[in-house]
Amino acid sequence: MYTALFFLHRLLAVVLLAIIVWPQSAQADSATNPLSYALRQSAPPASTALSLQLRQLWLEETEYLPELGQDLYRWQERSSQLQLGTSLAQHRIGAGLEQGTIEQKSLLFGDNDFSLNQRAAFVQWQYEAAKGFNASAELRCERFTDRGDSGFYRLNNTRDLWTGTARLHYQGTVNWLSLSYQRQRDPEPVYNIATERAELHLGAQQLSGLLAGWLLRPGWHLTLGAYYEDYATDRPDQINSLMQLSHQPVWLPRLEAAVGLGYFDEEQETIVNLTLKYSGQLSRQLRWQLEYQLEYSDLERSWLNEGLVELRWNLWRELSASCSLAASNENGDDQDQSLIVLAGLEIPLF
């Protein structure tokens, strides 16, 4: 199921989350990010003055194992983040700290597979050049330690993991091109048949590739992409090719509909999905957006339904608050579920 979710979140641009996470000019590349990963990331606040950004993340996923015919584990992640950011000419820079917990509960044995404390420090940079070019990069150092002694699997010492992203983007009048590299924490534990548990695994997977988009005619866009995926486990590397056709009708410009197709060469899996997004404004200060995604996996013979809701308030000048909720439910041979809540507050300092 992880492959299907990864493709879904990568292919469909999470414009709503980009309002919180990335400045407007970087939204096109959000199609390359899994939703949970996009939520974990942050960027320098868009303010021209020094500003403070606070974020709180709640993430919960339930993993179903078809071979057992029941749920295997429940992954819970909580984190708090504090970040300072500012703009200098065409550059935007930021730095911050993050602290949280990661816990995996075994639904077969009723205890914890593992329980960890997680701390991270990160720096970011973004450059807005002339003629449609921009670039961005992020570097993170994540540190993990055991949280008490309740876990079946234990680290027994401190474990560090370096992650980050790099991106170069060109936005033309009728086309765009985005090159990106991501090194991110692999969120998928390794299942051990002998113990019937998902083992503790802290590694980084790498994703590199490109996306290209064209304006076919007013309201119609075509996106093509290819990515090389290098996993942190013994899982074979593979190439993911994808295509998306999107449309914004003239008679309802706040609605966007898209169909996508993806293929994973090593797994020989084809993914098809549909996305509907609609945005609006309740007042000058309050914006909202709804998104629905439906995906079919031919390999797992399953349907994935996912919904996203976001609210953003401009409280006073550059003081703003935001809240996003994303939930997914899978039906068929696989029956995974997930819930993600993100709350944020941006405070101008001067």
Side-chain angles (χ1 to χ4, degrees), residues 105-119:
K105 297 181 180 295
S106 172
L107 301 180
L108 296 180
F109 299 99
D111 57 4
N112 291 333
D113 290 326
F114 52 82
S115 182
L116 305 176
N117 289 311
Q118 180 249 355
R119 292 179 174 84

PDB file of all heavy atoms in Angstrom, residues 105-119:
ATOM      1  N   LYS A 105       2.327   1.086  17.743  1.00  0.00           N
ATOM      2  CA  LYS A 105       1.624   0.140  18.601  1.00  0.00           C
ATOM      3  C   LYS A 105       1.290  -1.122  17.823  1.00  0.00           C
ATOM      4  O   LYS A 105       0.711  -1.069  16.733  1.00  0.00           O
ATOM      5  CB  LYS A 105       0.329   0.770  19.130  1.00  0.00           C
ATOM      6  CG  LYS A 105       0.546   2.000  20.009  1.00  0.00           C
ATOM      7  CD  LYS A 105      -0.781   2.552  20.509  1.00  0.00           C
ATOM      8  CE  LYS A 105      -0.574   3.776  21.389  1.00  0.00           C
ATOM      9  NZ  LYS A 105       0.148   3.442  22.643  1.00  0.00           N
ATOM     10  N   SER A 106       1.654  -2.271  18.372  1.00  0.00           N
ATOM     11  CA  SER A 106       1.308  -3.548  17.761  1.00  0.00           C
ATOM     12  C   SER A 106      -0.152  -3.869  18.055  1.00  0.00           C
ATOM     13  O   SER A 106      -0.563  -3.941  19.218  1.00  0.00           O
ATOM     14  CB  SER A 106       2.201  -4.665  18.302  1.00  0.00           C
ATOM     15  OG  SER A 106       1.741  -5.930  17.851  1.00  0.00           O
ATOM     16  N   LEU A 107      -0.934  -4.058  16.999  1.00  0.00           N
ATOM     17  CA  LEU A 107      -2.345  -4.386  17.169  1.00  0.00           C
ATOM     18  C   LEU A 107      -2.556  -5.891  17.286  1.00  0.00           C
ATOM     19  O   LEU A 107      -3.667  -6.341  17.532  1.00  0.00           O
ATOM     20  CB  LEU A 107      -3.159  -3.825  15.992  1.00  0.00           C
ATOM     21  CG  LEU A 107      -3.062  -2.304  15.825  1.00  0.00           C
ATOM     22  CD1 LEU A 107      -3.896  -1.847  14.643  1.00  0.00           C
ATOM     23  CD2 LEU A 107      -3.494  -1.588  17.097  1.00  0.00           C
ATOM     24  N   LEU A 108      -1.477  -6.663  17.134  1.00  0.00           N
ATOM     25  CA  LEU A 108      -1.546  -8.109  17.341  1.00  0.00           C
ATOM     26  C   LEU A 108      -1.263  -8.483  18.789  1.00  0.00           C
ATOM     27  O   LEU A 108      -1.896  -9.381  19.353  1.00  0.00           O
ATOM     28  CB  LEU A 108      -0.543  -8.830  16.426  1.00  0.00           C
ATOM     29  CG  LEU A 108      -0.762  -8.712  14.919  1.00  0.00           C
ATOM     30  CD1 LEU A 108       0.321  -9.495  14.182  1.00  0.00           C
ATOM     31  CD2 LEU A 108      -2.138  -9.227  14.534  1.00  0.00           C
ATOM     32  N   PHE A 109      -0.290  -7.773  19.417  1.00  0.00           N
ATOM     33  CA  PHE A 109       0.139  -8.122  20.770  1.00  0.00           C
ATOM     34  C   PHE A 109      -0.328  -7.121  21.819  1.00  0.00           C
ATOM     35  O   PHE A 109      -0.191  -7.378  23.018  1.00  0.00           O
ATOM     36  CB  PHE A 109       1.667  -8.241  20.818  1.00  0.00           C
ATOM     37  CG  PHE A 109       2.213  -9.298  19.908  1.00  0.00           C
ATOM     38  CD1 PHE A 109       2.730  -8.952  18.664  1.00  0.00           C
ATOM     39  CD2 PHE A 109       2.191 -10.632  20.263  1.00  0.00           C
ATOM     40  CE1 PHE A 109       3.235  -9.922  17.810  1.00  0.00           C
ATOM     41  CE2 PHE A 109       2.690 -11.611  19.421  1.00  0.00           C
ATOM     42  CZ  PHE A 109       3.210 -11.256  18.177  1.00  0.00           C
ATOM     43  N   GLY A 110      -0.824  -5.964  21.400  1.00  0.00           N
ATOM     44  CA  GLY A 110      -1.345  -4.996  22.353  1.00  0.00           C
ATOM     45  C   GLY A 110      -0.285  -4.202  23.089  1.00  0.00           C
ATOM     46  O   GLY A 110      -0.581  -3.596  24.126  1.00  0.00           O
ATOM     47  N   ASP A 111       0.964  -4.177  22.597  1.00  0.00           N
ATOM     48  CA  ASP A 111       2.021  -3.395  23.229  1.00  0.00           C
ATOM     49  C   ASP A 111       2.679  -2.513  22.167  1.00  0.00           C
ATOM     50  O   ASP A 111       2.170  -2.394  21.049  1.00  0.00           O
ATOM     51  CB  ASP A 111       3.041  -4.308  23.911  1.00  0.00           C
ATOM     52  CG  ASP A 111       3.665  -5.314  22.938  1.00  0.00           C
ATOM     53  OD1 ASP A 111       3.341  -5.238  21.721  1.00  0.00           O
ATOM     54  OD2 ASP A 111       4.479  -6.149  23.372  1.00  0.00           O
ATOM     55  N   ASN A 112       3.818  -1.911  22.516  1.00  0.00           N
ATOM     56  CA  ASN A 112       4.519  -1.044  21.577  1.00  0.00           C
ATOM     57  C   ASN A 112       5.634  -1.798  20.867  1.00  0.00           C
ATOM     58  O   ASN A 112       6.466  -2.433  21.508  1.00  0.00           O
ATOM     59  CB  ASN A 112       5.117   0.163  22.300  1.00  0.00           C
ATOM     60  CG  ASN A 112       4.063   1.121  22.803  1.00  0.00           C
ATOM     61  OD1 ASN A 112       2.960   1.204  22.247  1.00  0.00           O
ATOM     62  ND2 ASN A 112       4.385   1.867  23.841  1.00  0.00           N
ATOM     63  N   ASP A 113       5.646  -1.719  19.537  1.00  0.00           N
ATOM     64  CA  ASP A 113       6.793  -2.229  18.794  1.00  0.00           C
ATOM     65  C   ASP A 113       8.014  -1.380  19.114  1.00  0.00           C
ATOM     66  O   ASP A 113       9.105  -1.893  19.335  1.00  0.00           O
ATOM     67  CB  ASP A 113       6.517  -2.197  17.292  1.00  0.00           C
ATOM     68  CG  ASP A 113       5.484  -3.224  16.863  1.00  0.00           C
ATOM     69  OD1 ASP A 113       5.446  -4.305  17.473  1.00  0.00           O
ATOM     70  OD2 ASP A 113       4.714  -2.947  15.935  1.00  0.00           O
ATOM     71  N   PHE A 114       7.833  -0.051  19.140  1.00  0.00           N
ATOM     72  CA  PHE A 114       8.897   0.862  19.549  1.00  0.00           C
ATOM     73  C   PHE A 114       8.291   2.204  19.901  1.00  0.00           C
ATOM     74  O   PHE A 114       7.177   2.550  19.498  1.00  0.00           O
ATOM     75  CB  PHE A 114       9.976   1.017  18.461  1.00  0.00           C
ATOM     76  CG  PHE A 114       9.455   1.371  17.101  1.00  0.00           C
ATOM     77  CD1 PHE A 114       9.152   2.676  16.772  1.00  0.00           C
ATOM     78  CD2 PHE A 114       9.272   0.390  16.146  1.00  0.00           C
ATOM     79  CE1 PHE A 114       8.681   3.006  15.514  1.00  0.00           C
ATOM     80  CE2 PHE A 114       8.803   0.702  14.883  1.00  0.00           C
ATOM     81  CZ  PHE A 114       8.497   2.017  14.568  1.00  0.00           C
ATOM     82  N   SER A 115       9.045   2.972  20.695  1.00  0.00           N
ATOM     83  CA  SER A 115       8.622   4.301  21.120  1.00  0.00           C
ATOM     84  C   SER A 115       9.862   5.187  21.175  1.00  0.00           C
ATOM     85  O   SER A 115      10.811   4.874  21.897  1.00  0.00           O
ATOM     86  CB  SER A 115       7.943   4.231  22.494  1.00  0.00           C
ATOM     87  OG  SER A 115       7.482   5.505  22.888  1.00  0.00           O
ATOM     88  N   LEU A 116       9.850   6.304  20.417  1.00  0.00           N
ATOM     89  CA  LEU A 116      11.042   7.118  20.258  1.00  0.00           C
ATOM     90  C   LEU A 116      10.775   8.593  20.536  1.00  0.00           C
ATOM     91  O   LEU A 116       9.663   9.085  20.320  1.00  0.00           O
ATOM     92  CB  LEU A 116      11.588   6.998  18.822  1.00  0.00           C
ATOM     93  CG  LEU A 116      11.900   5.612  18.281  1.00  0.00           C
ATOM     94  CD1 LEU A 116      12.317   5.719  16.816  1.00  0.00           C
ATOM     95  CD2 LEU A 116      12.981   4.939  19.108  1.00  0.00           C
ATOM     96  N   ASN A 117      11.811   9.286  21.002  1.00  0.00           N
ATOM     97  CA  ASN A 117      11.840  10.742  21.000  1.00  0.00           C
ATOM     98  C   ASN A 117      12.557  11.183  19.728  1.00  0.00           C
ATOM     99  O   ASN A 117      13.540  10.558  19.308  1.00  0.00           O
ATOM    100  CB  ASN A 117      12.590  11.281  22.222  1.00  0.00           C
ATOM    101  CG  ASN A 117      11.817  11.068  23.503  1.00  0.00           C
ATOM    102  OD1 ASN A 117      10.635  11.377  23.588  1.00  0.00           O
ATOM    103  ND2 ASN A 117      12.488  10.528  24.513  1.00  0.00           N
ATOM    104  N   GLN A 118      12.060  12.264  19.137  1.00  0.00           N
ATOM    105  CA  GLN A 118      12.667  12.778  17.916  1.00  0.00           C
ATOM    106  C   GLN A 118      12.919  14.266  18.054  1.00  0.00           C
ATOM    107  O   GLN A 118      12.046  15.029  18.469  1.00  0.00           O
ATOM    108  CB  GLN A 118      11.760  12.512  16.711  1.00  0.00           C
ATOM    109  CG  GLN A 118      12.317  13.003  15.400  1.00  0.00           C
ATOM    110  CD  GLN A 118      11.555  14.171  14.825  1.00  0.00           C
ATOM    111  OE1 GLN A 118      10.530  14.595  15.349  1.00  0.00           O
ATOM    112  NE2 GLN A 118      12.071  14.735  13.751  1.00  0.00           N
ATOM    113  N   ARG A 119      14.138  14.699  17.738  1.00  0.00           N
ATOM    114  CA  ARG A 119      14.490  16.110  17.722  1.00  0.00           C
ATOM    115  C   ARG A 119      15.174  16.413  16.392  1.00  0.00           C
ATOM    116  O   ARG A 119      15.869  15.560  15.841  1.00  0.00           O
ATOM    117  CB  ARG A 119      15.418  16.466  18.883  1.00  0.00           C
ATOM    118  CG  ARG A 119      14.754  16.382  20.249  1.00  0.00           C
ATOM    119  CD  ARG A 119      15.732  16.729  21.365  1.00  0.00           C
ATOM    120  NE  ARG A 119      15.086  16.786  22.663  1.00  0.00           N
ATOM    121  CZ  ARG A 119      14.856  15.733  23.428  1.00  0.00           C
ATOM    122  NH1 ARG A 119      15.243  14.530  23.023  1.00  0.00           N
ATOM    123  NH2 ARG A 119      14.261  15.854  24.606  1.00  0.00           N
TER     124      ARG A 119
END
